[in-house]
Amino acid sequence: MTDKAPVFCEKYCIVCRGARAGNPICKAIQNLELKIFGKEGCIWGKARTRYYGVTPDQEIHPEKKK
């Protein structure tokens, strides 16, 4: 196990970044993804949830950022 932050979902995923920024098309795609893969989303979303404690569709609170 590593202590490195899972950065793909947070910084590079076009769908998740766009959805968190309020893009309605990205939000629709993300909602579909969350229905297919579960509330934590894809493998990168699951890693983000484990590390930060928030699902891919939620913003990380400043105090949770490491």
Side-chain angles (χ1 to χ4, degrees):
M1 172 118 7
T2 180
D3 288 335
K4 291 175 118 181
V7 297
F8 182 78
C9 182
E10 184 63 25
K11 296 183 179 179
Y12 303 114
C13 179
I14 294 168
V15 173
C16 288
R17 281 184 48 229
R20 286 190 298 268
N23 181 307
I25 294 170
C26 292
K27 187 68 177 169
I29 294 169
Q30 186 185 56
N31 285 337
L32 180 62
E33 178 185 314
L34 294 173
K35 287 178 183 168
I36 292 170
F37 292 108
K39 68 178 181 175
E40 294 178 350
C42 68
I43 59 170
W44 296 286
K46 285 179 183 21
R48 181 180 185 270
T49 300
R50 278 193 309 270
Y51 192 82
Y52 293 113
V54 294
T55 57
D57 57 335
Q58 299 173 336
E59 290 290 333
I60 298 172
H61 298 288
E63 64 273 1
K64 289 187 179 183
K65 286 192 177 185
K66 296 179 182 178

